[in-house]
Amino acid sequence: TYKFKNIRLKAESGQKSLSTTQIDCHITETTPFPNLQAPEELPSTTTTNKMEIYGVSQITSYSACSTCLKKIQHHPQNPNLVKCQTCKLTFNKKRCVTQYCAKVVFQHDEEKVPLTCFHNSLVKIVEIYNQQNESEVFVKDLTEDQLEDLLCSVDTLTLTYNFTNKQIISIEP
């Protein structure tokens, strides 16, 4: 059993969570509570809501490994090569694929929720945009500006996301 001093309560999307503060947070061990029983299941850190894209605060692109799709590092000795730190593959940098990541602000009722959209989430949003607009656009063919325009044009989405780490888990029309 522990005693916490100076912690923060966050309330977002109807969910509450506790976190420590960076300054002046103290955790000390204390006498255990007698007959204390832990809950059978911890509360969920995910929620599902119908949301609209309110705006896009940032879109970045990066070179990724064509095998595992993780961000790659430049080779220390040869500028024509790259080395993936995840799968340890060294290959010609021409074989890299471009991946996108976006910081998007969604709106549910009056609440604005900033979430991180990794490449797979952006691909899904573009697929939904294509369904809504009877078009055939692909993320790989878009510039960052074009992707930003498209994101701001998408109709309502149903999102399941982790409100603790702000990452999207699934997206539906």
Side-chain angles (χ1 to χ4, degrees):
T1 304
Y2 295 91
K3 187 180 199 179
F4 291 81
K5 185 176 180 183
N6 291 333
I7 58 174
R8 178 179 28 201
L9 174 65
K10 291 182 183 180
E12 293 178 357
S13 303
Q15 302 288 329
K16 294 180 181 178
S17 64
L18 291 174
S19 64
T20 57
T21 58
Q22 291 183 344
I23 301 171
D24 206 29
C25 178
H26 301 286
I27 303 169
T28 54
E29 196 166 359
T30 186
T31 309
F33 292 104
N35 303 325
L36 180 67
Q37 298 216 347
E40 288 183 26
E41 188 176 310
L42 292 174
S44 174
T45 59
T46 63
T47 188
T48 301
N49 290 311
K50 282 201 170 292
M51 305 177 91
E52 294 178 349
I53 294 179
Y54 183 81
V56 179
S57 63
Q58 179 184 20
I59 295 178
T60 55
S61 61
Y62 58 92
S63 294
C65 174
S66 55
T67 302
C68 70
L69 301 178
K70 299 294 183 186
K71 191 172 182 177
I72 52 92
Q73 304 294 323
H74 295 286
H75 195 277
Q77 286 90 25
N78 188 335
N80 295 322
L81 298 177
V82 291
K83 181 167 180 104
C84 178
Q85 298 301 314
T86 304
C87 69
K88 307 298 183 207
L89 185 67
T90 299
F91 56 98
N92 189 307
K93 70 179 182 181
K94 293 177 187 173
R95 292 200 167 95
C96 289
V97 295
T98 300
Q99 298 275 281
Y100 288 100
C101 181
K103 303 285 185 186
V104 179
V105 178
F106 291 88
Q107 185 168 342
H108 170 65
D109 295 330
E110 295 301 312
E111 183 180 7
K112 292 176 183 63
V113 181
L115 298 174
T116 302
C117 294
F118 290 106
H119 191 83
N120 59 342
S121 295
L122 294 171
V123 168
K124 183 66 178 173
I125 292 172
V126 170
E127 287 173 3
I128 292 168
Y129 171 87
N130 285 336
Q131 291 170 1
Q132 293 171 346
N133 295 281
E134 297 180 9
S135 60
E136 197 168 311
V137 179
F138 300 99
V139 174
K140 66 180 180 64
D141 299 329
L142 299 174
T143 65
E144 290 179 17
D145 289 339
Q146 291 169 326
L147 181 57
E148 183 177 62
D149 289 345
L150 183 145
L151 290 172
C152 291
S153 303
V154 175
D155 291 336
T156 302
L157 302 166
T158 301
L159 297 180
T160 300
Y161 63 96
N162 184 314
F163 56 82
T164 304
N165 66 13
K166 307 289 187 194
Q167 291 183 5
I168 295 174
I169 297 166
S170 70
I171 304 171
E172 300 298 326

